[in-house]
Amino acid sequence: MLFTDRLTHTTDFTDNEKRIASFIEQNLEAVSTMSIQTLASKTYTSHSALVRFAKKLNYDGFKSMRQDINNDVQKNILQLNDVDANFPFSPQDSALEIAKNISDLNINAIKRALAQLDEESLNQAAQKIIDSQRLVFFAIGDTQIRARGFQSKLIKINKFAIIAEEYSDESWTASNLNADDLAIFLSYTGNSDNYLKQIQFLKKQKVPTLLITGNPESKMIQVADQVITIVQNEFDVFKVSTFASQITFEYILDTLFAIIYSKSYKENLIKMQSNYKKLTQNKIL
């Protein structure tokens, strides 16, 4: 989760903390190397006030918060084009202006996602998928479309996945899973009561679970075995469409597929070539 997202998702600031937040947000690059004494002077606050502010954002203290601010700056988050993820165009925009805005939105969403990913988490998730006997996706609506795209890619390397909701029998699907399987929950809001019940049930059955979400406050996070949280500037409901969140899901799933493929690159390539030859020789392709 980016520092700027922590600011956005924290709503119980005092007046002093609001002043600190406003100053930091407007001077992110300068604050990334600023001492606590200097920041206290600039915001007319104290050392203890800045430490309390950092802890409210779930940091251990000022130094860890400043390190995260520096990470944001180093990852060029400030250079992202200012496109509203919820309303990326207006009625007055021309067709080309809309095309430019959607292009910028896609780039922004992927760059924001990349800045929040870490290598250990990606490798761990990829290995869970590789090791699973059966792979089951819990995803609905637009998100299920992304899951199906991932499902299609996996088939090409002889890994078959199931969409739990495909025939409205996700509960029965969950009941048949075991410790050798993996359940992947794709939910940007992470607020589905049904999914919370499902993941709690799977935990009791000792079924490994992976949650990919955009909500760092989701109750599902406390239950899932592994969580990949990618926050975008997208509202839950009030928006034109689920642009940023769906770009994020597709990017993460494409990345996981590429990692999985790369771990057995030569074997996967030979197998695909062999299958392609069989299909063409039998005039199926």
Side-chain angles (χ1 to χ4, degrees), residues 184-243:
I184 299 180
F185 288 81
L186 301 177
S187 176
Y188 187 75
T189 64
N191 286 330
S192 167
D193 289 336
N194 180 49
Y195 276 1
L196 180 59
K197 290 177 183 177
Q198 296 282 6
I199 201 169
Q200 288 171 335
F201 169 76
L202 290 170
K203 187 175 184 66
K204 289 180 181 178
Q205 305 305 309
K206 303 187 185 307
V207 177
T209 55
L210 167 63
L211 169 65
I212 303 177
T213 184
N215 180 10
E217 305 299 325
S218 170
K219 293 179 181 178
M220 296 174 68
I221 289 176
Q222 305 303 319
V223 187
D225 293 316
Q226 184 187 354
V227 181
I228 295 177
T229 306
I230 303 296
V231 180
Q232 297 285 355
N233 293 328
E234 184 175 284
F235 300 145
D236 285 352
V237 178
F238 193 61
K239 55 193 170 188
V240 172
S241 186
T242 55
F243 290 120

Side-chain angles (χ1 to χ4, degrees), residues 150-207:
F150 190 44
Q151 180 188 42
S152 177
K153 291 180 179 70
L154 290 173
I155 288 172
K156 294 178 176 63
I157 56 173
N158 199 30
K159 188 73 178 179
F160 292 83
I162 302 167
I163 306 295
E165 290 90 348
E166 189 156 15
Y167 301 109
S168 301
D169 58 355
E170 66 270 20
S171 296
W172 283 103
T173 301
S175 70
N176 282 296
L177 300 181
N178 58 52
D180 295 323
D181 303 320
L182 176 65
I184 299 180
F185 288 81
L186 301 177
S187 176
Y188 187 75
T189 64
N191 286 330
S192 167
D193 289 336
N194 180 49
Y195 276 1
L196 180 59
K197 290 177 183 177
Q198 296 282 6
I199 201 169
Q200 288 171 335
F201 169 76
L202 290 170
K203 187 175 184 66
K204 289 180 181 178
Q205 305 305 309
K206 303 187 185 307
V207 177

